[in-house]
Amino acid sequence: MSEAIPRIIALQMCSGVNPEQNIQTLVNQLQQLPTTRPLLVCLPEAFLVFCKSGNDTLKVAKHAERYKQQLSELCQLHNIWLSAGTMPEPYNDNKYYAASHLFNAQGELVASYNKMHLFDVIVDDSTASYRESDFTQAGNEVVVVDSPFGKIGLTVCYDLRFSTLYTQLVRQGAEVILVPSAFTVVTGQAHWQPLLAARAIETQCYVIAAAQYGAHENGRQTYGHSIVLSPWGDTLSELPTGTGFISATLDLKQLHKIRRDMPVQSHQRFREHLL
């Protein structure tokens, strides 16, 4: 019998301001999953709720445990691993973490990563000024976890621009890196695919980026283009527009061959200066 090759799904969403409706969208999509197991389903940033204000998101954060229980039950029902994009987790009365949770097929929460780099920028779009730090507390922990899909490193959206984080992930053993995102259209058109390809090539990891797409109830517009990249930088699957999911298989033997043939990590000359 041939060895099963792990399969992943990246779900592209257009999340709104109502968490219950977004959960129902997820439920509907999970009913259409392929039968292959093990299976990792990856959700985008802000999959649970994409509010109009930080105060509204704070209100949702208070119910985080209830939503995590629902996700746990879905994992058990469908026998899947789930990377739950990001959802708000309470930090204090004024701020929340943008938390990325990873559940196993038994519904257990096996890892959590709090978004480290916050999107405080000016963009030439209808929103113009983004101040994520007004309500979001930055995380400070690099997270890599074992799984049937290889060692998974967790990142979120704006983290993509900070290559030293990805270098640290691969040093801690990462073979697959997740990048749940809600990129703006302007920055997505300019930088989304080049940045993702660069992170895949330099770390020699699979990179899985589930994205938000479209015009949202909160007035935001997001770029979409959910994508799976190989450790060589090849595009294995992509969904430029619309909602739905893409899939790809992961071949860790090929990953390790790439690393043996081109051992870039051992060639690194600036190791002492990185994190």
Side-chain angles (χ1 to χ4, degrees):
M1 181 181 295
S2 60
E3 182 180 355
I5 298 178
R7 188 170 184 178
I8 63 92
I9 295 287
L11 179 59
Q12 188 155 285
M13 299 178 67
C14 183
S15 294
V17 300
N18 186 319
E20 305 301 336
Q21 290 180 1
N22 296 326
I23 288 285
Q24 187 58 50
T25 295
L26 173 59
V27 168
N28 295 341
Q29 288 292 328
L30 293 181
Q31 292 171 352
Q32 303 176 44
L33 290 177
T35 58
T36 305
R37 297 295 184 273
L39 185 69
L40 169 63
V41 177
C42 301
L43 308 182
E45 183 179 27
F47 85 94
L48 178 65
V49 68
F50 211 11
C51 290
K52 294 182 179 180
S53 72
N55 280 320
D56 289 342
T57 308
L58 276 171
K59 295 175 184 176
V60 175
K62 295 178 181 179
H63 304 286
E65 293 304 316
R66 172 161 60 90
Y67 293 120
K68 284 190 289 187
Q69 181 59 34
Q70 291 180 10
L71 297 174
S72 172
E73 292 170 1
L74 287 172
C75 290
Q76 296 173 69
L77 176 64
H78 293 282
N79 188 29
I80 58 169
W81 282 64
L82 180 69
S83 165
T86 65
M87 56 180 287
E89 286 273 356
Y91 171 69
N92 59 25
D93 290 339
N94 301 310
K95 285 192 174 185
Y96 50 82
Y97 289 115
S100 185
H101 298 310
L102 182 66
F103 297 84
N104 66 18
Q106 290 72 50
E108 299 166 330
L109 182 59
V110 297
S112 294
Y113 165 73
N114 295 321
K115 185 178 184 181
M116 190 176 294
H117 299 96
L118 303 182
F119 195 57
D120 289 357
V121 303
I122 295 173
V123 177
D124 188 15
D125 65 7
S126 59
T127 302
S129 179
Y130 296 81
R131 291 285 305 173
E132 200 167 34
S133 65
D134 285 350
F135 287 92
T136 307
Q137 176 65 32
N140 57 16
E141 183 180 0
V142 177
V143 177
V144 177
V145 63
D146 285 321
S147 80
F149 314 91
K151 292 183 181 295
I152 296 178
L154 302 181
T155 72
V156 175
C157 201
Y158 191 50
D159 286 333
L160 187 58
R161 295 181 182 273
F162 302 90
S163 61
T164 49
L165 170 58
Y166 290 76
T167 300
Q168 187 68 7
L169 287 168
V170 76
R171 285 187 185 174
Q172 294 188 17
E175 298 164 316
V176 180
I177 298 177
L178 309 185
V179 195
S181 297
F183 252 60
T184 71
V185 173
V186 172
T187 57
Q189 289 174 339
H191 301 146
W192 174 247
Q193 288 174 315
L195 284 170
L196 287 165
R199 299 295 88 86
I201 293 165
E202 70 193 10
T203 63
Q204 298 173 313
C205 287
Y206 285 97
V207 170
I208 303 165
Q212 293 280 356
Y213 169 77
H216 301 265
E217 288 180 286
N218 63 3
R220 290 273 304 275
Q221 286 191 307
T222 51
Y223 184 59
H225 290 76
S226 295
I227 194 169
V228 181
L229 294 164
S230 79
W232 194 247
D234 295 324
T235 297
L236 302 181
S237 189
E238 183 181 8
L239 181 60
T241 61
T243 59
F245 61 79
I246 56 174
S247 65
T249 56
L250 307 184
D251 186 346
L252 296 183
K253 291 182 179 179
Q254 180 66 17
L255 178 148
H256 293 301
K257 181 181 186 302
I258 290 170
R259 291 182 176 184
R260 284 195 305 270
D261 292 349
M262 189 179 293
V264 295
Q265 294 305 314
S266 64
H267 294 163
Q268 174 63 255
R269 297 293 297 275
F270 297 96
R271 295 177 66 86
E272 67 277 13
H273 300 299
L274 297 174
L275 291 183

